[in-house]
């Protein structure tokens, strides 16, 4: 957990600095071009992994034949996917009406080969819980990629600076993992291994494919119905929201999937893990998201300049959706770890059908406002389905899970409403208004925590090492 936290927060800090600098050197149009292509890149990467990465982690004792079979499979699919993208690039650029996208997609598509080359090594490190190496490599890569991207943006390369950033971010880990990990593929493609992993991995692949399509459909629709600049505003809002919502949840869920896989036969242990994780995540993430909603405007102006003010309303709605999203993976990972990949896929089809339908209908009835409402429906419906599956297979009832996070949801919402109300009364300038709202929110939320000491607060405090609990030492 410590190494994963170091990796995530260091990478987030680099991305944060990168976002501030690049937002002043690049335009919404540049970000929009990359955002329009995201759906094609994500789907291609999903085909390469094919769910076999999760299958290798879920399998308790994978063999050399298992690893080698998946390695050669990944490279073969990467070649196929790149060929399809290369041939389709002119049609995709014509779809959006931006000729530049043809060459951008063909160059950016090279990342597929790099991704396929090191996916087995990366999963081996995760399987062994060797997050130290993953962290060091990821942090170093982020810093190098940041330097190169800023230099290219400053020199006027525009969208190509973002393309190179993606290539560098993929290439350095691939090279390091290849030389650091002693494992090498053997010249074997085992039909038996493929068949065994395919049984679990195939449905995981279909689940990831449907999920990623559902998550990226907004970019496809906005790029087609509106323009690259509108797509750029949405991409920036979405990127910042992910940076905030993933700041805590990704650290925990990165570690928990291998642990779930090891404890898959002990339902009582898994229920306890889910409860502690969801309550702790809600206690930390809910106030963070509400604070960002309250101070979104001064934050965007301060960090990214007034050029990006159009991103603020998108960001605020996406933060509301992020409240469900940060807890979603906890339950989804559980269903995957206990081997219910087929059922998870079938329900994913239901979730994404409802979600995509809400997004498309909202867009064509009410424009961008309708699309954002559709995103909210998509996330909360998906979360509800996930907790129902956990309720069914593990016995941790969905009503119990909602009741466990209800105190945090109520307290964080009330603090947000009160902070907004005080802001309206004072009617202060932009930056003082943000500071006052932040202070009022923290006083109310932390006051509730110290006075009532809810279970979520106790779980969160239990994570902190004893030597850092200065308030307990003072009481002694």
């Amino acid at each position: 957990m410590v190494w994963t936290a170091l990796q995530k927060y260091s990478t987030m800090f680099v991305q944060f600095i990168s976002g501030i600098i690049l937002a002043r050197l690049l335009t919404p149009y540049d970000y929009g071009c990359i955002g329009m292509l995201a759906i094609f890149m994500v789907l291609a990467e999903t085909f390469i992994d094919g769910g076999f990465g999760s299958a290798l982690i879920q399998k308790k004792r994978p063999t050399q034949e298992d690893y080698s079979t998946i390695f050669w499979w990944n490279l073969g699919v990467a070649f196929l996917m790149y060929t399809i993208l290369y041939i389709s690039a002119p049609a995709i650029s014509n779809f959006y009406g931006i000729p530049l996208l043809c060459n951008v997609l063909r160059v950016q598509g090279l990342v597929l080969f790099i991704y396929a080359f090191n996916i087995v090594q990366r999963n081996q490190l995760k399987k062994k819980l060797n997050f130290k190496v993953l962290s060091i490599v990821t942090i170093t890569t982020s810093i190098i990629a940041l330097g190169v991207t800023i230099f290219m943006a400053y020199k006027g390369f525009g969208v190509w600076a973002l393309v190179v950033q993606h290539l560098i971010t993929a290439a350095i880990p691939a090279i390091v993992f290849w030389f650091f990990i002693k494992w090498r593929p053997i010249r074997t493609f085992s039909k038996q291994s493929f068949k065994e992993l395919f049984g679990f991995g195939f449905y995981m692949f279909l689940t990831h494919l449907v999920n990623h399509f559902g998550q990226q459909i907004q970019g496809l629709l906005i790029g087609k119905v509106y323009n690259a600049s509108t797509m750029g505003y949405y991409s920036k809002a979405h990127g910042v929201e992910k940076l905030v919502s993933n700041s805590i949840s990704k650290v925990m869920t990165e570690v928990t999937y291998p642990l779930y896989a090891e404890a898959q036969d002990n339902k009582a242990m898994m229920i306890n893990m889910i409860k502690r994780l969801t309550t702790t995540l809600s206690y930390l993430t809910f106030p963070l998201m509400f604070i960002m909603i309250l101070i979104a405007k001064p934050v965007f102006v301060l960090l990214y300049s007034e050029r990006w003010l159009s991103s603020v309303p998108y960001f605020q709605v996406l933060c509301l959706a992020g409240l469900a999203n940060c807890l979603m993976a906890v339950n989804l990972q559980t269903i995957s770890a206990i081997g219910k990949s087929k059922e998870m896929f079938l329900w994913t089809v239901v979730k994404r059908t409802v979600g995509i339908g809400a997004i498309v209908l909202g867009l064509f009835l009410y424009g961008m406002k309708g699309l954002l409402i559709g995103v909210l429906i998509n996330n909360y419906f998906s979360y509800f389905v996930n907790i129902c599956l956990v309720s069914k297979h593990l016995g941790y009832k969905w009503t119990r899970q909602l009741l466990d996070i209800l105190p945090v949801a109520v307290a964080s919402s009330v603090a947000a409403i009160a902070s907004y109300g005080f802001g309206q009364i004072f009617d202060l300038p932009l930056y003082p208004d943000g500071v006052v709202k932040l202070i009022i929110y923290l006083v109310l939320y932390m006051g509730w925590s110290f006075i009532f000491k809810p279970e979520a607060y106790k779980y969160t405090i239990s994570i902190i090492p004893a030597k850092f609990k200065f308030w307990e030492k003072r009481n002694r």
Side-chain angles (χ1 to χ4, degrees), residues 414-426:
V414 170
I417 294 171
S419 301
Y420 179 78
F422 277 110
Q424 293 295 102
I425 294 172
F426 294 138

Side-chain angles (χ1 to χ4, degrees), residues 215-280:
Q215 291 166 359
Q216 299 293 331
I217 188 68
Q218 300 95 297
L220 184 70
L221 294 172
I222 296 171
K224 179 61 178 176
V225 177
Y226 294 97
N227 52 48
S229 293
T230 302
M231 182 66 231
Y233 290 126
Y234 181 86
S235 294
K236 172 59 71 176
H238 185 261
V240 178
E241 182 273 322
K242 285 297 179 188
L243 197 64
V244 177
S245 63
N246 291 343
S247 61
I248 299 171
S249 61
K250 280 292 184 181
V251 173
M252 294 186 176
T253 55
E254 186 80 12
V255 177
T256 51
Y257 183 67
L259 297 178
Y260 282 151
E262 290 297 322
Q264 59 186 277
D265 299 323
N266 190 333
K267 289 188 176 181
M269 182 183 291
M270 293 191 74
I271 290 173
N272 186 53
M273 291 170 66
I274 298 167
K275 180 180 179 180
R276 293 178 70 92
L277 188 57
T278 51
T279 52
T280 303

Side-chain angles (χ1 to χ4, degrees), residues 9-29:
Y9 292 129
S10 298
T11 305
M12 283 170 50
F13 178 74
V14 173
Q15 292 175 347
F16 176 69
I17 299 299
S18 172
I20 293 174
I21 298 174
L22 293 177
R24 298 172 184 275
L25 296 174
L26 301 176
T27 65
Y29 178 87

